[in-house]
Amino acid sequence: MLIGLCAVLFQVSCDHEEHHEERKSEFLVSSPLRKDTSLVVDYVCQIKSIRHIELMAQERGYLTEIFVDEGQTVQKGQLLFQIMPNLYEAEKQKAQAEVSFAEIEFKNTKKLADSNVVAPNELAMAQAKLDHAKAELALAQVHLDFTKIRAPFDGIIDRFHVREGSLLEEGDLLTNLSDNSKMWVYYNVPEAEYLDYQAQVKSDSLIRVSLKLANNKMFPHEGRVETIEADFNNETGNIPFRATFPNPERLLRHGETGSVQMHVPFENALLIPQKATFEVLDKKFVYTITDEGVVVPTEIVVAAELQHLFIVQEGLDENDRILLEGLRRVKANDEISYHFASPDSVINHLNLYAE
C-alpha cells in the first residue's frame, strides 16, 4: 500500500509539472492596430508680446516728472513722462506773436489792395508771410507736445532707464512698453519634421498648439500657428513657426520661455506596443509568428514614437501576428504555443510593464 501511494503521488506531481510547463510555454500574441492618431512634439520656444516698443525722448531737456511706475498697466494716451517744457513754451509764444503780427499786416495790405493802393503781389507776399508764421507756430506746438511722452497703446511699463532730473538727449531710452493682450510664441522646427508635418496637414486646416510653461504646467488657453517663415536657417536646418496665444489674465510676459506642444496627425497609422520590439545593432525588430507557430525576427522602421507605442513605417501590416511577451525566452525559428489578444484590448492595457 505504501508503494502504491507513492506511485500515485509521483504521478500527480508529474501531471502538475507537465500542466504547469504547458501553461508556461504559451505566449501572448497580437497584431498591429491600424487607426488615425497624432503625435505630440515638444519645441523650446520664446514668448514675445505682439507689440514691444522702446519709449525714447523726442526732445532734449531735463526729465521733470514721471507719472507711472515700473510694471504698471497703462492706457492708450496716458501721460507717462514730462520733459522740461519751458523753452518750448517760450518758442510757442514767440511763434504765436509772429502769427498775430502777420495777420495784422495781411489785413492792412488787403485793405490797400482793395483800394488799388498796392499791387496784388504785395497782398500775395503778406499772405505767404502769414502762412509761414502759422507753420512756425504749428512746429513750435509739435516740439512742445514732444515734451509729454504718452502711451501709444494699452500695455505694461517696463524698467525705467532714467530718473527724475536726468538730462535727456533726443533719442535717449526711457523705458519699454509691452502689449500683452496676445502673445507671439516662436519655435524652430527641423526640416525633416516640417516636411512630415506638411505632408500630414491639410492646406485648409487650422494648426492648433498648446503651451507648457517653465513650471511644467500647461497654459490654459490654446494657440494657433499663424505664420511659418519663408526661409530655412542653413546653419541649423530649422524653420521658425509663430503661434499666437490669447492672454486675457496677462499671465504671459515678454521674454518668457516654455515649450510648444504641436500635434502632428498621422492618418491610417500602424501602431504596435513598444514592449513588442527589441534592438540589434541600432535596428528595431519584432518577432512575427507564422501560421505554423514559428518565431521569425522581422526588422521594422519606426516613423514616430508615442507613449508606449511605435508608429511603424515599414516591415509590418495589420494582418501580421507579433509576439508581445516573453521575447527573452524565445529565439529565431522556435515553435511556440500562443493565444491571440485583439489589438484594441492590448492597446487599452499598455499601462502594464513589458516583460
Side-chain angles (χ1 to χ4, degrees), residues 250-265:
R250 301 300 192 270
L251 176 63
L252 301 180
R253 297 291 182 101
H254 181 84
E256 280 188 75
T257 59
S259 296
V260 165
Q261 293 186 341
M262 188 165 68
H263 294 261
V264 180

Side-chain angles (χ1 to χ4, degrees), residues 48 71 100 128 192 196 204 220-221 228 231 251 268 274 278 296 317-318 344:
K48 307 290 184 182
S100 299
D196 291 341
D204 59 345
H221 303 285
I228 302 175
D231 300 328
L251 176 63
N268 207 26
Q274 291 186 16
F278 61 97
V296 178
D317 62 48
E318 59 266 38
D344 288 319

Side-chain angles (χ1 to χ4, degrees), residues 25-195:
S25 63
E26 191 173 81
F27 293 87
L28 179 63
V29 171
S30 185
S31 293
L33 178 64
R34 180 79 70 176
K35 66 178 297 185
D36 293 340
T37 187
S38 63
L39 173 66
V40 179
V41 184
D42 285 0
Y43 300 96
V44 176
C45 65
Q46 291 285 335
I47 302 171
K48 307 290 184 182
S49 301
I50 58 171
R51 286 185 288 184
H52 180 78
I53 64 170
E54 296 177 331
L55 295 178
M56 296 183 174
Q58 295 176 288
E59 295 291 348
R60 185 178 187 277
Y62 287 98
L63 182 61
T64 56
E65 288 188 79
I66 299 176
F67 299 97
V68 292
D69 198 2
E70 297 174 334
Q72 181 177 332
T73 299
V74 298
Q75 306 298 318
K76 181 178 179 179
Q78 183 175 341
L79 183 60
L80 309 178
F81 301 93
Q82 174 71 68
I83 299 174
M84 185 177 63
N86 306 63
L87 175 62
Y88 301 102
E89 288 176 348
E91 289 181 350
K92 179 184 176 181
Q93 291 174 2
K94 178 183 176 182
Q96 182 65 62
E98 290 178 354
V99 168
S100 299
F101 177 79
E103 286 177 344
I104 294 172
E105 187 174 10
F106 173 76
K107 291 178 181 178
N108 292 335
T109 304
K110 189 175 187 309
K111 289 180 181 179
L112 295 175
D114 291 341
S115 301
N116 295 321
V117 176
V118 297
N121 288 342
E122 292 290 334
L123 180 61
M125 291 182 63
Q127 179 67 60
K129 188 174 182 181
L130 175 60
D131 293 341
H132 177 75
K134 289 181 178 180
E136 290 293 330
L137 176 60
L139 182 60
Q141 182 63 53
V142 168
H143 284 291
L144 182 60
D145 291 341
F146 282 169
T147 64
K148 296 180 179 180
I149 310 298
R150 299 181 181 274
F153 51 78
D154 296 352
I156 300 175
I157 294 294
D158 197 9
R159 179 172 62 91
F160 294 150
H161 295 273
V162 293
R163 294 294 183 268
E164 289 185 5
S166 301
L167 176 60
L168 304 177
E169 298 291 340
E170 183 179 346
D172 282 353
L173 178 62
L174 304 177
T175 187
N176 298 96
L177 180 65
S178 299
D179 179 1
N180 292 347
S181 58
K182 295 181 181 179
M183 305 299 289
W184 281 344
V185 178
Y186 293 87
Y187 58 100
N188 294 319
V189 177
E191 183 175 358
E193 295 179 19
Y194 163 80
L195 294 174

